[in-house]
Amino acid sequence: NATLASLRSDCPAGWPWNRWPDVRGMPGRISVDWVAGWRGIRSEFTALGEALRSQVQGVEQQAEQWLRTYSSEVRDQVHERMDQWNKETMSFANQMHAAVQAISNVVDELEAR
């Protein structure tokens, strides 16, 4: 059975095994590397979250502007159409009133004879 110490002594001088002081140093080195890696990942996700938040805010602002513009246009069109409806309705009502008045006058003349 080869031990870690014997394997270390058999490795060439440039191998990473010879830079680590002993077996207890390996987990510490690995832990530092893992922590650094996770911090990097957390940093990337934080940056991604900020970028997405910024993009969503931009989309929300644009959608809000579109909805305001749409609302204004719809309100103006409804107002114009209701005004036209009122004019047409008043014209029709006046014509019907005139027609009823004419019929009433004809009936009155016929009754007077």
Side-chain angles (χ1 to χ4, degrees):
N1 281 349
T3 64
L4 186 55
S6 68
L7 288 174
R8 247 177 74 193
S9 65
D10 293 339
C11 292
W15 280 31
W17 289 100
N18 291 326
R19 285 187 289 232
W20 290 329
D22 57 25
V23 107
R24 290 173 298 202
M26 283 177 30
R29 169 76 185 213
I30 291 172
S31 293
V32 168
D33 290 345
W34 274 85
V35 168
W38 283 110
R39 284 183 180 159
I41 291 171
R42 181 175 50 188
S43 174
E44 289 296 320
F45 274 108
T46 301
L48 175 63
E50 290 298 321
L52 289 174
R53 183 177 296 117
S54 175
Q55 287 179 355
V56 167
Q57 286 174 346
V59 169
E60 286 175 341
Q61 290 172 353
Q62 184 64 49
E64 181 181 355
Q65 181 59 38
W66 286 339
L67 289 173
R68 286 178 196 264
T69 301
Y70 177 76
S71 172
S72 176
E73 288 180 17
V74 167
R75 184 176 44 250
D76 292 346
Q77 288 178 5
V78 167
H79 184 66
E80 288 173 13
R81 289 179 182 162
M82 290 305 294
D83 281 349
Q84 186 63 33
W85 173 267
N86 288 340
K87 289 175 187 174
E88 295 295 327
T89 301
M90 276 306 250
S91 174
F92 176 77
N94 289 335
Q95 289 173 6
M96 288 298 108
H97 183 270
V100 168
Q101 200 70 20
I103 292 172
S104 176
N105 290 341
V106 168
V107 169
D108 286 346
E109 271 186 43
L110 289 175
E111 285 179 350
R113 288 187 190 176

